[in-house]
């Protein structure tokens, strides 16, 4: 099933008032960066404890 | 440096890492609300909700759609956790923990029953029948239940200072969602079925509290990364092997809509829901052996404040003054806990 125009409009409406420019993409970038930091910390944690 | 000083230094390091993991949990949990909210308007869930509402009504439609979304969320979490365990080289540990059912994995499968169908599902029921703010406030009460069970079951120590910190964070959370909560409770928009929403709220608070206490017991002998993955394996089995087939037998079109979820945008949002939910949970579990269930859940409760900040930044929803008061209380509560003397946390259990 492809997304209908109504579904895409409702989805895009969430990011339309984002305070951060390009918020519709940057939230994913932010999650990836935070996940990489968490994984790095977890690896450091494994080696130290 | 003598042995006593070394022990104190090691204990201090352990505690700071515990608080770090609990704070990671709050960040990921707060971020989860972005994909967790957006997924509802995407297909097939949007059309599934409309199709079921036509035949069975809005309330049933919301619950059945929530089951499918939660089932996909659990699958996405499993995927994210397999990457987590792969990067940490924990596959061997995972198999070892799975094989040791009696001493280890039984606790995590038990935790999955309380965390999945009870807490997450209860949270969705509270959200649907009363409202999102009520659901969030009900969920925020879980550290109180978790701390009490951990105290009576295996004697986990909870200092007066930590109890005050947890209390202040819970008050902050209630203040954050206070405005919406009063509107929802006074409107009575759900009519005579509102008690189902209250039951859902109770399920959420009790479910997460009990899950934390059970996980704390399981983590006495198991490792958090492997333990949490087994907890989600249990939840995935509950949704895909028990709940969805039962709903399909009753007559809901579960499989036809499930197949339609394999669409690029829907899958992308599910992947991010999986990363945020999975990593929030794994960091939550990692904090328990280091600072205890009560403190881990207390700091994890900062998710309420984090969610408001991320929703403001990415959705542009401006917070009300009650949210700013609540945020200040959350920070104050965390500060009370962070500044607790390390010697009070050297042993987490009573004698």
């Amino acid at each position: 099933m492809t997304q209908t125009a109504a579904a895409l409009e409702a989805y895009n409406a969430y990011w339309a008032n984002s305070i951060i420019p390009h918020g519709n993409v940057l939230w994913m970038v932010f999650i990836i960066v935070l996940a990489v930091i968490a994984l790095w910390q977890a690896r450091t944690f494994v080696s130290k404890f | 440096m003598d042995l006593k000083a070394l022990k104190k230094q090691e204990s201090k390091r352990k505690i700071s890492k515990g608080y770090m993991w609990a704070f990671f949990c709050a960040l990921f949990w707060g971020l989860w609300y972005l994909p967790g909210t957006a997924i509802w308007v995407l297909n097939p869930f949007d059309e599934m909700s409309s199709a079921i509402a036509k035949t069975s009504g809005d309330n049933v439609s919301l619950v059945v759609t929530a089951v499918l979304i939660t089932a996909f969320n659990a699958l996405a979490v499993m995927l994210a956790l397999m990457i987590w365990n792969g990067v940490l080289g924990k596959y061997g540990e995972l198999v070892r923990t799975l094989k040791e059912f009696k001493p280890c994995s039984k606790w995590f499968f038990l935790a999955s029953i309380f965390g999945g169908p009870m807490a997450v599902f209860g949270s969705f029921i509270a959200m649907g029948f009363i409202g999102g703010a009520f659901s969030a406030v009900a969920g925020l009460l879980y550290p109180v239940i978790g701390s009490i069970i951990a105290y009576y079951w295996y004697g986990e120590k909870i200092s007066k200072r930590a109890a005050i910190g947890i209390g202040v964070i819970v008050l902050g959370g209630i203040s954050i969602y206070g405005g919406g909560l009063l509107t929802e409770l006074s409107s009575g928009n759900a009519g005579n079925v509102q008690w189902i929403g209250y039951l859902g709220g109770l399920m959420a608070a009790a479910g997460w509290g009990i899950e934390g206490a059970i996980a704390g017991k399981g983590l006495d002998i198991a490792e958090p990364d492997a333990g949490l993955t087994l907890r989600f394996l249990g939840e995935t089995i509950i949704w895909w092997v028990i709940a969805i087939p039962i709903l399909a037998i009753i007559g809901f079109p579960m499989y036809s809509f499930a197949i339609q979820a394999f669409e690029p945008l829907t899958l992308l949002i599910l992947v991010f829901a999986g990363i945020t939910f999975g990593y929030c949970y794994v960091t939550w579990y990692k904090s328990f052996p280091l600072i205890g269930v009560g403190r881990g859940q207390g700091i994890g409760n900062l998710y309420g404040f984090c969610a408001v900040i991320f929703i403001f930044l990415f959705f542009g929803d401006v917070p009300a003054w009650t949210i700013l008061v609540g945020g200040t209380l959350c920070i104050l509560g965390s500060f009370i806990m962070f500044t607790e003397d390390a010697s009070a946390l050297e042993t987490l259990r009573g004698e």
Side-chain angles (χ1 to χ4, degrees):
Chain A
M1 176 185 277
T2 53
Q3 297 299 334
T4 58
L8 278 176
E9 195 182 330
Y11 174 77
N12 289 329
Y14 277 123
W15 321 101
N17 299 318
S18 175
I19 305 291
I20 296 172
H22 307 291
N24 60 334
V25 177
L26 279 181
W27 72 275
M28 296 186 213
V29 176
F30 185 68
I31 288 173
I32 291 169
V33 170
L34 196 66
V36 170
I37 294 171
L39 272 167
W40 165 62
Q41 281 295 320
R43 273 193 74 95
T44 314
F45 185 78
V46 166
S47 62
K48 283 187 180 171
F49 285 91
Chain B
M1 194 181 274
D2 65 355
L3 193 65
K4 209 176 168 186
L6 268 173
K7 207 178 152 192
K8 201 172 176 182
Q9 191 190 44
E10 177 68 8
S11 164
K12 215 172 171 179
R13 222 158 54 100
K14 203 178 82 173
I15 293 158
S16 68
K17 286 281 178 193
Y19 278 120
M20 180 197 77
W21 288 126
F23 189 60
F24 261 118
C25 163
L27 284 174
F28 280 118
W29 200 338
L31 276 167
W32 175 79
Y33 283 87
L34 301 176
T37 308
I39 194 72
W40 281 88
V41 300
L42 291 177
N43 280 317
F45 308 114
D46 181 40
E47 291 199 355
M48 178 183 182
S49 180
S50 313
I52 297 173
K54 277 177 198 161
T55 54
S56 310
D58 287 341
N59 293 332
V60 174
S61 140
L62 185 120
V63 172
V64 175
T65 310
V67 168
L68 192 61
I69 290 178
T70 316
F72 271 109
N73 189 59
L75 264 186
V77 167
M78 274 303 291
L79 189 73
L81 288 176
M82 290 317 282
I83 294 169
W84 177 278
N85 281 290
V87 171
L88 299 184
K90 295 279 176 80
Y91 288 145
E93 185 63 32
L94 197 60
V95 176
R96 205 160 35 243
T97 313
L98 182 64
K99 280 181 182 168
E100 294 295 331
F101 181 79
K102 206 173 173 190
C104 278
S105 47
K106 71 169 180 196
W107 296 115
F108 300 111
F109 285 120
L110 196 60
S112 72
I113 295 170
F114 288 100
M118 191 168 171
V120 179
F121 195 57
S123 184
F124 273 122
I125 288 175
M127 213 181 287
F129 286 88
I130 298 183
F134 170 76
S135 175
V137 170
L140 283 167
L141 298 173
Y142 79 89
V144 178
I145 293 169
S147 314
I148 292 170
I149 296 172
Y151 174 77
Y152 281 107
W153 186 8
Y154 42 82
E156 181 176 294
K157 283 197 307 182
I158 189 88
S159 64
K160 205 174 168 184
R161 197 182 175 94
I164 292 170
I166 293 169
V168 173
I169 293 174
V170 169
L171 276 179
I174 292 172
S175 173
I176 285 174
Y177 295 98
L181 177 69
L182 289 175
T183 315
E184 286 166 8
L185 294 181
S186 59
S187 67
N189 55 358
N192 57 3
V193 288
Q194 210 170 11
W195 66 271
I196 302 175
Y198 294 121
L199 179 70
L202 189 68
M203 281 165 69
W208 275 315
I210 297 169
E211 181 192 355
I214 293 173
K217 185 78 181 164
L219 291 169
D220 277 349
I221 34 174
E223 202 269 336
D225 307 296
L228 191 264
T229 309
L230 293 184
R231 176 251 180 263
F232 267 97
L233 177 68
E235 186 176 333
T236 307
I237 291 170
I238 289 168
W239 293 122
W240 289 99
V241 180
I242 302 169
I244 289 182
I246 289 174
L247 288 171
I249 290 166
I250 292 170
F252 293 108
M254 305 305 285
Y255 294 115
S256 62
F257 280 109
I259 290 165
Q260 291 172 43
F262 291 88
E263 192 275 336
L265 185 58
T266 306
L267 287 180
L268 183 72
I269 302 302
L270 281 171
V271 163
F272 280 95
I275 294 171
T276 47
F277 208 66
Y279 290 6
C280 116
Y281 246 106
V282 78
T283 49
W284 196 51
Y285 269 44
K286 277 177 107 67
S287 74
F288 292 161
L290 300 169
I291 52 173
V293 172
R295 289 179 188 84
Q297 291 190 338
I299 298 294
N301 237 0
L302 288 173
Y303 82 86
F305 184 50
C306 293
V308 169
I309 292 188
F310 292 130
I311 286 172
F312 168 64
L313 290 175
F314 291 105
F315 287 171
D317 294 345
V318 182
W321 67 270
T322 49
I323 290 172
L324 298 176
V325 171
T328 311
L329 283 172
C330 284
I331 292 164
L332 181 71
S334 315
F335 193 72
I336 291 171
M337 289 165 80
F338 285 138
T339 50
E340 188 174 15
D341 183 15
S343 60
L345 283 97
E346 268 177 15
T347 52
L348 294 169
R349 303 278 167 90
E351 297 305 318

